[in-house]
PDB file of all heavy atoms in Angstrom:
ATOM      1  N   GLN A 721     120.058 111.700 109.239  1.00  0.00           N
ATOM      2  CA  GLN A 721     120.661 110.370 109.256  1.00  0.00           C
ATOM      3  C   GLN A 721     120.763 109.859 110.688  1.00  0.00           C
ATOM      4  O   GLN A 721     121.270 110.565 111.567  1.00  0.00           O
ATOM      5  CB  GLN A 721     122.043 110.421 108.614  1.00  0.00           C
ATOM      6  CG  GLN A 721     122.691 109.078 108.466  1.00  0.00           C
ATOM      7  CD  GLN A 721     124.052 109.188 107.807  1.00  0.00           C
ATOM      8  OE1 GLN A 721     125.029 108.695 108.364  1.00  0.00           O
ATOM      9  NE2 GLN A 721     124.145 109.834 106.658  1.00  0.00           N
ATOM     10  N   LEU A 722     120.300 108.612 110.901  1.00  0.00           N
ATOM     11  CA  LEU A 722     120.351 107.975 112.213  1.00  0.00           C
ATOM     12  C   LEU A 722     120.875 106.559 112.033  1.00  0.00           C
ATOM     13  O   LEU A 722     120.215 105.707 111.443  1.00  0.00           O
ATOM     14  CB  LEU A 722     118.952 107.943 112.841  1.00  0.00           C
ATOM     15  CG  LEU A 722     118.822 107.241 114.190  1.00  0.00           C
ATOM     16  CD1 LEU A 722     119.650 107.961 115.260  1.00  0.00           C
ATOM     17  CD2 LEU A 722     117.359 107.172 114.605  1.00  0.00           C
ATOM     18  N   ARG A 723     122.087 106.304 112.519  1.00  0.00           N
ATOM     19  CA  ARG A 723     122.685 104.964 112.429  1.00  0.00           C
ATOM     20  C   ARG A 723     122.819 104.371 113.816  1.00  0.00           C
ATOM     21  O   ARG A 723     123.604 104.851 114.635  1.00  0.00           O
ATOM     22  CB  ARG A 723     124.064 105.035 111.758  1.00  0.00           C
ATOM     23  CG  ARG A 723     123.952 105.308 110.281  1.00  0.00           C
ATOM     24  CD  ARG A 723     125.161 104.875 109.507  1.00  0.00           C
ATOM     25  NE  ARG A 723     125.515 103.471 109.740  1.00  0.00           N
ATOM     26  CZ  ARG A 723     126.733 102.991 109.516  1.00  0.00           C
ATOM     27  NH1 ARG A 723     127.701 103.778 109.089  1.00  0.00           N
ATOM     28  NH2 ARG A 723     126.991 101.718 109.723  1.00  0.00           N
ATOM     29  N   LEU A 724     122.032 103.330 114.059  1.00  0.00           N
ATOM     30  CA  LEU A 724     122.052 102.629 115.337  1.00  0.00           C
ATOM     31  C   LEU A 724     122.412 101.157 115.150  1.00  0.00           C
ATOM     32  O   LEU A 724     122.264 100.360 116.066  1.00  0.00           O
ATOM     33  CB  LEU A 724     120.680 102.743 116.015  1.00  0.00           C
ATOM     34  CG  LEU A 724     120.187 104.163 116.284  1.00  0.00           C
ATOM     35  CD1 LEU A 724     118.780 104.133 116.889  1.00  0.00           C
ATOM     36  CD2 LEU A 724     121.150 104.914 117.194  1.00  0.00           C
ATOM     37  N   ASP A 725     122.863 100.790 113.975  1.00  0.00           N
ATOM     38  CA  ASP A 725     123.141  99.395 113.655  1.00  0.00           C
ATOM     39  C   ASP A 725     124.307  98.832 114.455  1.00  0.00           C
ATOM     40  O   ASP A 725     125.153  99.564 114.942  1.00  0.00           O
ATOM     41  CB  ASP A 725     123.387  99.230 112.146  1.00  0.00           C
ATOM     42  CG  ASP A 725     124.454 100.172 111.605  1.00  0.00           C
ATOM     43  OD1 ASP A 725     124.299 101.389 111.754  1.00  0.00           O
ATOM     44  OD2 ASP A 725     125.452  99.677 111.027  1.00  0.00           O
ATOM     45  N   ARG A 726     124.285  97.509 114.579  1.00  0.00           N
ATOM     46  CA  ARG A 726     125.362  96.742 115.208  1.00  0.00           C
ATOM     47  C   ARG A 726     125.601  97.137 116.671  1.00  0.00           C
ATOM     48  O   ARG A 726     126.701  97.469 117.074  1.00  0.00           O
ATOM     49  CB  ARG A 726     126.642  96.824 114.384  1.00  0.00           C
ATOM     50  CG  ARG A 726     126.431  96.302 112.985  1.00  0.00           C
ATOM     51  CD  ARG A 726     127.654  96.366 112.119  1.00  0.00           C
ATOM     52  NE  ARG A 726     127.335  96.117 110.730  1.00  0.00           N
ATOM     53  CZ  ARG A 726     127.032  94.927 110.201  1.00  0.00           C
ATOM     54  NH1 ARG A 726     126.994  93.866 110.960  1.00  0.00           N
ATOM     55  NH2 ARG A 726     126.749  94.814 108.922  1.00  0.00           N
ATOM     56  N   ASN A 727     124.508  97.102 117.428  1.00  0.00           N
ATOM     57  CA  ASN A 727     124.552  97.294 118.874  1.00  0.00           C
ATOM     58  C   ASN A 727     123.795  96.153 119.525  1.00  0.00           C
ATOM     59  O   ASN A 727     123.603  95.099 118.907  1.00  0.00           O
ATOM     60  CB  ASN A 727     123.945  98.654 119.239  1.00  0.00           C
ATOM     61  CG  ASN A 727     124.921  99.791 119.019  1.00  0.00           C
ATOM     62  OD1 ASN A 727     125.878  99.948 119.762  1.00  0.00           O
ATOM     63  ND2 ASN A 727     124.683 100.584 117.973  1.00  0.00           N
ATOM     64  N   ARG A 728     123.322  96.364 120.725  1.00  0.00           N
ATOM     65  CA  ARG A 728     122.519  95.353 121.435  1.00  0.00           C
ATOM     66  C   ARG A 728     121.190  95.955 121.866  1.00  0.00           C
ATOM     67  O   ARG A 728     120.680  95.648 122.942  1.00  0.00           O
ATOM     68  CB  ARG A 728     123.289  94.829 122.643  1.00  0.00           C
ATOM     69  CG  ARG A 728     124.533  94.078 122.254  1.00  0.00           C
ATOM     70  CD  ARG A 728     125.242  93.519 123.465  1.00  0.00           C
ATOM     71  NE  ARG A 728     126.551  93.018 123.059  1.00  0.00           N
ATOM     72  CZ  ARG A 728     127.668  93.242 123.704  1.00  0.00           C
ATOM     73  NH1 ARG A 728     127.659  93.953 124.798  1.00  0.00           N
ATOM     74  NH2 ARG A 728     128.798  92.750 123.266  1.00  0.00           N
ATOM     75  N   LEU A 729     120.663  96.848 121.052  1.00  0.00           N
ATOM     76  CA  LEU A 729     119.408  97.512 121.384  1.00  0.00           C
ATOM     77  C   LEU A 729     118.261  96.519 121.336  1.00  0.00           C
ATOM     78  O   LEU A 729     118.282  95.570 120.544  1.00  0.00           O
ATOM     79  CB  LEU A 729     119.157  98.673 120.410  1.00  0.00           C
ATOM     80  CG  LEU A 729     120.231  99.765 120.444  1.00  0.00           C
ATOM     81  CD1 LEU A 729     120.034 100.742 119.295  1.00  0.00           C
ATOM     82  CD2 LEU A 729     120.223 100.492 121.779  1.00  0.00           C
ATOM     83  N   LYS A 730     117.261  96.736 122.181  1.00  0.00           N
ATOM     84  CA  LYS A 730     116.121  95.823 122.261  1.00  0.00           C
ATOM     85  C   LYS A 730     114.825  96.633 122.238  1.00  0.00           C
ATOM     86  O   LYS A 730     114.851  97.860 122.124  1.00  0.00           O
ATOM     87  CB  LYS A 730     116.206  94.982 123.528  1.00  0.00           C
ATOM     88  CG  LYS A 730     116.171  95.824 124.790  1.00  0.00           C
ATOM     89  CD  LYS A 730     116.224  94.994 126.035  1.00  0.00           C
ATOM     90  CE  LYS A 730     116.039  95.922 127.220  1.00  0.00           C
ATOM     91  NZ  LYS A 730     115.669  95.297 128.426  1.00  0.00           N
ATOM     92  N   GLY A 731     113.724  95.949 122.349  1.00  0.00           N
ATOM     93  CA  GLY A 731     112.425  96.618 122.303  1.00  0.00           C
ATOM     94  C   GLY A 731     112.026  96.885 120.870  1.00  0.00           C
ATOM     95  O   GLY A 731     112.613  96.353 119.925  1.00  0.00           O
ATOM     96  N   SER A 732     111.031  97.721 120.703  1.00  0.00           N
ATOM     97  CA  SER A 732     110.550  98.024 119.362  1.00  0.00           C
ATOM     98  C   SER A 732     111.085  99.380 118.905  1.00  0.00           C
ATOM     99  O   SER A 732     111.549 100.177 119.710  1.00  0.00           O
ATOM    100  CB  SER A 732     109.021  98.017 119.338  1.00  0.00           C
ATOM    101  OG  SER A 732     108.531  98.986 120.233  1.00  0.00           O
ATOM    102  N   ILE A 733     111.003  99.614 117.610  1.00  0.00           N
ATOM    103  CA  ILE A 733     111.369 100.930 117.086  1.00  0.00           C
ATOM    104  C   ILE A 733     110.208 101.859 117.417  1.00  0.00           C
ATOM    105  O   ILE A 733     109.073 101.583 117.039  1.00  0.00           O
ATOM    106  CB  ILE A 733     111.596 100.890 115.562  1.00  0.00           C
ATOM    107  CG1 ILE A 733     112.800 100.007 115.233  1.00  0.00           C
ATOM    108  CG2 ILE A 733     111.816 102.298 115.023  1.00  0.00           C
ATOM    109  CD1 ILE A 733     113.045  99.829 113.742  1.00  0.00           C
ATOM    110  N   PRO A 734     110.466 102.948 118.139  1.00  0.00           N
ATOM    111  CA  PRO A 734     109.370 103.855 118.513  1.00  0.00           C
ATOM    112  C   PRO A 734     108.876 104.628 117.294  1.00  0.00           C
ATOM    113  O   PRO A 734     109.514 105.564 116.845  1.00  0.00           O
ATOM    114  CB  PRO A 734     110.001 104.776 119.556  1.00  0.00           C
ATOM    115  CG  PRO A 734     111.452 104.781 119.210  1.00  0.00           C
ATOM    116  CD  PRO A 734     111.756 103.429 118.624  1.00  0.00           C
ATOM    117  N   GLY A 735     107.761 104.174 116.749  1.00  0.00           N
ATOM    118  CA  GLY A 735     107.241 104.805 115.539  1.00  0.00           C
ATOM    119  C   GLY A 735     106.449 106.059 115.825  1.00  0.00           C
ATOM    120  O   GLY A 735     106.560 107.045 115.117  1.00  0.00           O
ATOM    121  N   GLY A 736     105.659 106.041 116.866  1.00  0.00           N
ATOM    122  CA  GLY A 736     104.753 107.156 117.113  1.00  0.00           C
ATOM    123  C   GLY A 736     103.412 106.838 116.497  1.00  0.00           C
ATOM    124  O   GLY A 736     103.127 105.707 116.146  1.00  0.00           O
ATOM    125  N   ASN A 737     102.595 107.846 116.312  1.00  0.00           N
ATOM    126  CA  ASN A 737     101.250 107.575 115.807  1.00  0.00           C
ATOM    127  C   ASN A 737     100.977 108.176 114.442  1.00  0.00           C
ATOM    128  O   ASN A 737      99.847 108.280 114.036  1.00  0.00           O
ATOM    129  CB  ASN A 737     100.207 108.053 116.820  1.00  0.00           C
ATOM    130  CG  ASN A 737     100.426 109.500 117.210  1.00  0.00           C
ATOM    131  OD1 ASN A 737     101.208 110.211 116.601  1.00  0.00           O
ATOM    132  ND2 ASN A 737      99.738 109.930 118.256  1.00  0.00           N
ATOM    133  N   ALA A 738     102.005 108.578 113.698  1.00  0.00           N
ATOM    134  CA  ALA A 738     101.781 109.106 112.358  1.00  0.00           C
ATOM    135  C   ALA A 738     101.730 107.951 111.383  1.00  0.00           C
ATOM    136  O   ALA A 738     102.660 107.180 111.281  1.00  0.00           O
ATOM    137  CB  ALA A 738     102.907 110.062 111.975  1.00  0.00           C
ATOM    138  N   THR A 739     100.638 107.815 110.641  1.00  0.00           N
ATOM    139  CA  THR A 739     100.510 106.693 109.724  1.00  0.00           C
ATOM    140  C   THR A 739     100.844 107.074 108.301  1.00  0.00           C
ATOM    141  O   THR A 739     101.415 106.312 107.565  1.00  0.00           O
ATOM    142  CB  THR A 739      99.089 106.118 109.768  1.00  0.00           C
ATOM    143  OG1 THR A 739      98.176 107.191 109.538  1.00  0.00           O
ATOM    144  CG2 THR A 739      98.805 105.476 111.101  1.00  0.00           C
ATOM    145  N   GLY A 740     100.536 108.263 107.891  1.00  0.00           N
ATOM    146  CA  GLY A 740     100.793 108.669 106.526  1.00  0.00           C
ATOM    147  C   GLY A 740     102.084 109.438 106.394  1.00  0.00           C
ATOM    148  O   GLY A 740     102.169 110.376 105.626  1.00  0.00           O
ATOM    149  N   PHE A 741     103.089 109.045 107.122  1.00  0.00           N
ATOM    150  CA  PHE A 741     104.353 109.777 107.161  1.00  0.00           C
ATOM    151  C   PHE A 741     105.109 109.670 105.854  1.00  0.00           C
ATOM    152  O   PHE A 741     105.163 108.641 105.217  1.00  0.00           O
ATOM    153  CB  PHE A 741     105.220 109.211 108.286  1.00  0.00           C
ATOM    154  CG  PHE A 741     106.600 109.800 108.326  1.00  0.00           C
ATOM    155  CD1 PHE A 741     106.809 111.056 108.844  1.00  0.00           C
ATOM    156  CD2 PHE A 741     107.678 109.106 107.828  1.00  0.00           C
ATOM    157  CE1 PHE A 741     108.082 111.604 108.882  1.00  0.00           C
ATOM    158  CE2 PHE A 741     108.950 109.654 107.871  1.00  0.00           C
ATOM    159  CZ  PHE A 741     109.137 110.894 108.396  1.00  0.00           C
ATOM    160  N   SER A 742     105.713 110.746 105.452  1.00  0.00           N
ATOM    161  CA  SER A 742     106.698 110.719 104.375  1.00  0.00           C
ATOM    162  C   SER A 742     107.892 111.502 104.883  1.00  0.00           C
ATOM    163  O   SER A 742     107.737 112.451 105.642  1.00  0.00           O
ATOM    164  CB  SER A 742     106.113 111.328 103.105  1.00  0.00           C
ATOM    165  OG  SER A 742     106.649 112.581 102.849  1.00  0.00           O
ATOM    166  N   PRO A 743     109.125 111.121 104.505  1.00  0.00           N
ATOM    167  CA  PRO A 743     110.296 111.743 105.112  1.00  0.00           C
ATOM    168  C   PRO A 743     110.397 113.243 104.890  1.00  0.00           C
ATOM    169  O   PRO A 743     111.065 113.928 105.627  1.00  0.00           O
ATOM    170  CB  PRO A 743     111.464 111.016 104.463  1.00  0.00           C
ATOM    171  CG  PRO A 743     110.926 110.343 103.272  1.00  0.00           C
ATOM    172  CD  PRO A 743     109.465 110.120 103.519  1.00  0.00           C
ATOM    173  N   MET A 744     109.736 113.779 103.900  1.00  0.00           N
ATOM    174  CA  MET A 744     109.836 115.207 103.631  1.00  0.00           C
ATOM    175  C   MET A 744     108.561 115.965 104.014  1.00  0.00           C
ATOM    176  O   MET A 744     108.393 117.117 103.664  1.00  0.00           O
ATOM    177  CB  MET A 744     110.122 115.445 102.138  1.00  0.00           C
ATOM    178  CG  MET A 744     111.392 114.781 101.682  1.00  0.00           C
ATOM    179  SD  MET A 744     112.804 115.318 102.652  1.00  0.00           S
ATOM    180  CE  MET A 744     114.026 114.160 102.136  1.00  0.00           C
ATOM    181  N   ALA A 745     107.663 115.296 104.715  1.00  0.00           N
ATOM    182  CA  ALA A 745     106.392 115.939 105.060  1.00  0.00           C
ATOM    183  C   ALA A 745     106.589 117.045 106.083  1.00  0.00           C
ATOM    184  O   ALA A 745     107.458 116.977 106.938  1.00  0.00           O
ATOM    185  CB  ALA A 745     105.423 114.895 105.618  1.00  0.00           C
ATOM    186  N   ASP A 746     105.770 118.062 106.012  1.00  0.00           N
ATOM    187  CA  ASP A 746     105.785 119.141 106.995  1.00  0.00           C
ATOM    188  C   ASP A 746     104.833 118.751 108.105  1.00  0.00           C
ATOM    189  O   ASP A 746     103.634 118.639 107.898  1.00  0.00           O
ATOM    190  CB  ASP A 746     105.329 120.449 106.336  1.00  0.00           C
ATOM    191  CG  ASP A 746     105.303 121.612 107.320  1.00  0.00           C
ATOM    192  OD1 ASP A 746     105.843 121.460 108.434  1.00  0.00           O
ATOM    193  OD2 ASP A 746     104.752 122.658 106.964  1.00  0.00           O
ATOM    194  N   THR A 747     105.373 118.509 109.301  1.00  0.00           N
ATOM    195  CA  THR A 747     104.538 118.041 110.393  1.00  0.00           C
ATOM    196  C   THR A 747     103.988 119.176 111.234  1.00  0.00           C
ATOM    197  O   THR A 747     103.254 118.944 112.172  1.00  0.00           O
ATOM    198  CB  THR A 747     105.339 117.084 111.317  1.00  0.00           C
ATOM    199  OG1 THR A 747     106.469 117.794 111.821  1.00  0.00           O
ATOM    200  CG2 THR A 747     105.773 115.848 110.567  1.00  0.00           C
ATOM    201  N   GLY A 748     104.351 120.400 110.929  1.00  0.00           N
ATOM    202  CA  GLY A 748     103.835 121.521 111.711  1.00  0.00           C
ATOM    203  C   GLY A 748     104.391 121.506 113.115  1.00  0.00           C
ATOM    204  O   GLY A 748     105.495 121.066 113.355  1.00  0.00           O
ATOM    205  N   SER A 749     103.608 121.961 114.059  1.00  0.00           N
ATOM    206  CA  SER A 749     104.105 122.053 115.434  1.00  0.00           C
ATOM    207  C   SER A 749     103.342 121.127 116.369  1.00  0.00           C
ATOM    208  O   SER A 749     103.259 121.374 117.550  1.00  0.00           O
ATOM    209  CB  SER A 749     103.971 123.497 115.920  1.00  0.00           C
ATOM    210  OG  SER A 749     102.613 123.884 115.862  1.00  0.00           O
TER     211      SER A 749
END
Side-chain angles (χ1 to χ4, degrees):
Q721 186 179 126
L722 177 63
R723 288 202 54 202
L724 302 177
D725 53 302
R726 301 180 192 286
N727 280 288
R728 295 183 190 135
L729 299 170
K730 61 179 186 162
S732 60
I733 295 176
N737 53 11
T739 53
F741 174 77
S742 107
M744 301 303 169
D746 179 12
T747 59
S749 59

